[in-house]
Amino acid sequence: MTNVLLYILLILVSWLPSFAQAEDAASGDTASTQSSAPAAEPAKQTAPAKQTEPAKQAEPASKESSADSAASQALKASKEEEEKKKQQTVTEVVPQEGGVITGKFELDVTETYTHLTSDQLYISGFGILPIVVVGDVNVQKLRRDIFTTTLTANYKLTDKMQVSLAIPYQHSITRVSQANGISGKTIVSANDETVSQSDDLGDITASLNYQLMAEGIGKPTLYGGLAFKARNGRDVFQTPDAASKPPPGSGFYSLRGSLSASKSSAPAVVFGAFSYAYNFGRKNVVYTPKGQNATLIKTYQPGPSLSLSGGVALSLNYDLAINFSFAQSWNYTSRINGNVLANSASNSITFRMGGIWRLNKMVSIDLSGTMGLSPDAPDYTLALRIPIRF
């Protein structure tokens, strides 16, 4: 019996290690199962992280797109600034047609050379100066070179209103060839030629320009102007020999109204102008021709003037612009003592082309040439204008 119990005890003892191993294995499986379950939770937590990764990758793209947008805006602003500069260059032509300057104060220095072979003299396109001939003088050929220096001050009172004052000074060289005839009491021959020069101050002009309407969709910029011309310059009544020594003054006061318009269509500006000048008459004027007695003119009424002009200015870049314009001026007949003065009416037609070069923000150079297209117009005119802005 005792042996049997010992044998059973030995069997139980031999089973204990294997049972312990089995329990360890079971507990190990349970632990691994428990440890694997929490391991899945971090995977669930990392899933959103994977979803946020594209957002992190999208940030550089958004920064890049914003940088491209900023560069695009900068390029657009640069182009707009360049177009603005171009328009500023082009619109410098407009004040000559009766517009308003861009700056506060501008000083224009203009040197003009005019060559003509005519018996009538034009002063700045404002009106005619008839060469009144009293006596039997037959002018066969008249050649005249006129150099005019004009100083113009433009002051901008408001954004829409400007006042101007123009002071011209004239130097002229005149060559007159006369056919056989009688000048006063002197007999002249076909070979006689008179060469004379004169330097005098011309008529001063004061003007006021106002912007009536600003440019918009389907409408132009509209300007209105009023100019008054004095008669301070030496006139025909103060000049005994008006044919050979032309006076720079017209001899009468004049009031001119103008209406001008401009419309921009980058890189060009189209402009046009209309003006009407009324010339005030004079009474009891004494005229003393060369070699003749004085003549009393009871009434002298110069005819009015009507002018039309139009053209286009084209900007090549923000420093250089070219312009072309066409102008026609009708000067109606004048009357002396109620009688029509012969050859006092005229029709002047001209074509002008020029260019403006902006040296800097203050100074520009405007060079132009004008060709006469009718017998009453000067043969040609060269003008150099230097506007200085302050």
Side-chain angles (χ1 to χ4, degrees):
M1 186 67 178
T2 306
N3 293 332
V4 173
L5 292 174
L6 291 172
Y7 180 75
I8 294 173
L9 183 61
L10 290 173
I11 292 173
L12 291 174
V13 172
S14 62
W15 283 2
L16 286 173
S18 61
F19 181 76
Q21 291 177 1
E23 279 189 350
D24 293 340
S27 63
D29 293 338
T30 304
S32 63
T33 304
Q34 292 176 354
S35 63
S36 63
E41 292 179 3
K44 292 180 181 179
Q45 294 175 357
T46 55
K50 291 182 180 178
Q51 293 178 356
T52 57
E53 285 179 1
K56 292 181 180 179
Q57 294 176 357
E59 287 181 1
S62 63
K63 290 180 180 178
E64 186 175 342
S65 62
S66 62
D68 292 342
S69 177
S72 176
Q73 291 177 359
L75 181 61
K76 183 179 179 181
S78 177
K79 288 182 178 180
E80 290 177 352
E81 182 67 20
E82 184 175 352
E83 290 300 325
K84 185 179 180 181
K85 289 180 180 180
K86 287 182 180 180
Q87 291 302 106
Q88 287 177 352
T89 305
V90 173
T91 52
E92 289 186 13
V93 182
V94 180
Q96 300 181 63
E97 301 294 325
V100 178
I101 61 175
T102 56
K104 184 67 176 177
F105 178 73
E106 183 177 281
L107 188 66
D108 284 1
V109 181
T110 304
E111 183 68 33
T112 304
Y113 166 69
T114 302
H115 177 78
L116 56 86
T117 54
S118 174
D119 59 355
Q120 293 175 335
L121 176 63
Y122 294 82
I123 300 178
S124 301
F126 202 88
I128 62 169
L129 170 62
I131 296 178
V132 182
V133 178
V134 180
D136 300 325
V137 177
N138 182 13
V139 177
Q140 183 183 36
K141 189 175 183 179
L142 183 148
R143 291 171 295 172
R144 184 169 294 155
D145 297 299
I146 302 173
F147 300 87
T148 306
T149 302
T150 305
L151 185 64
T152 305
N154 303 306
Y155 183 75
K156 199 171 184 179
L157 296 176
T158 66
D159 291 339
K160 296 183 178 181
M161 185 181 296
Q162 166 191 311
V163 291
S164 302
L165 184 67
I167 304 174
Y169 187 84
Q170 184 183 109
H171 171 74
S172 64
I173 303 173
T174 304
R175 294 177 175 85
V176 180
S177 299
Q178 295 178 330
N180 293 330
I182 300 175
S183 175
K185 299 179 181 180
T186 305
I187 299 177
V188 297
S189 65
N191 295 326
D192 287 347
E193 183 183 49
T194 303
V195 180
S196 60
Q197 300 185 30
S198 62
D199 295 273
D200 294 284
L201 183 68
D203 292 339
I204 297 176
T205 302
S207 60
L208 172 69
N209 293 328
Y210 185 79
Q211 182 179 330
L212 301 173
M213 182 174 65
E215 182 176 351
I217 299 176
K219 61 179 183 179
T221 303
L222 193 63
Y223 303 96
L226 192 64
F228 177 77
K229 181 180 67 65
R231 57 178 178 90
N232 58 283
R234 177 175 56 86
D235 57 46
V236 66
F237 303 107
Q238 300 170 334
T239 307
D241 190 5
S244 60
K245 192 177 181 181
S250 61
F252 48 82
Y253 295 109
S254 184
L255 185 65
R256 178 181 62 179
S258 64
L259 190 65
S260 59
S262 64
K263 186 72 171 71
S264 60
S265 178
V269 169
V270 180
F271 56 88
F274 164 81
S275 67
Y276 178 83
Y278 176 78
N279 303 313
F280 295 89
R282 297 180 64 178
K283 295 181 179 181
N284 300 323
V285 182
V286 177
Y287 177 62
T288 307
K290 184 179 180 180
Q292 298 186 30
N293 296 326
T295 302
L296 176 64
I297 299 177
K298 293 183 178 180
T299 60
Y300 171 57
Q301 180 59 55
S305 302
L306 181 66
S307 300
L308 291 173
S309 64
V312 59
L314 178 65
S315 177
L316 302 181
N317 52 53
Y318 61 82
D319 284 332
L320 182 63
I322 56 176
N323 57 85
F324 308 91
S325 62
F326 175 87
Q328 187 167 6
S329 178
W330 295 270
N331 299 280
Y332 297 93
T333 55
S334 301
R335 292 179 178 271
I336 292 181
N337 297 330
N339 301 318
V340 175
L341 178 63
N343 299 320
S344 59
S346 65
N347 182 11
S348 173
I349 305 173
T350 58
F351 176 75
R352 177 182 181 274
M353 50 187 175
I356 295 179
W357 180 26
R358 286 171 59 95
L359 297 179
N360 50 54
K361 292 182 179 180
M362 292 185 59
V363 183
S364 299
I365 296 178
D366 182 358
L367 181 63
S368 64
T370 303
M371 297 177 292
L373 303 181
S374 67
D376 295 326
D379 296 346
Y380 61 86
T381 300
L382 296 176
L384 175 63
R385 171 176 166 263
I386 304 177
I388 306 172
R389 291 167 291 275
F390 297 92

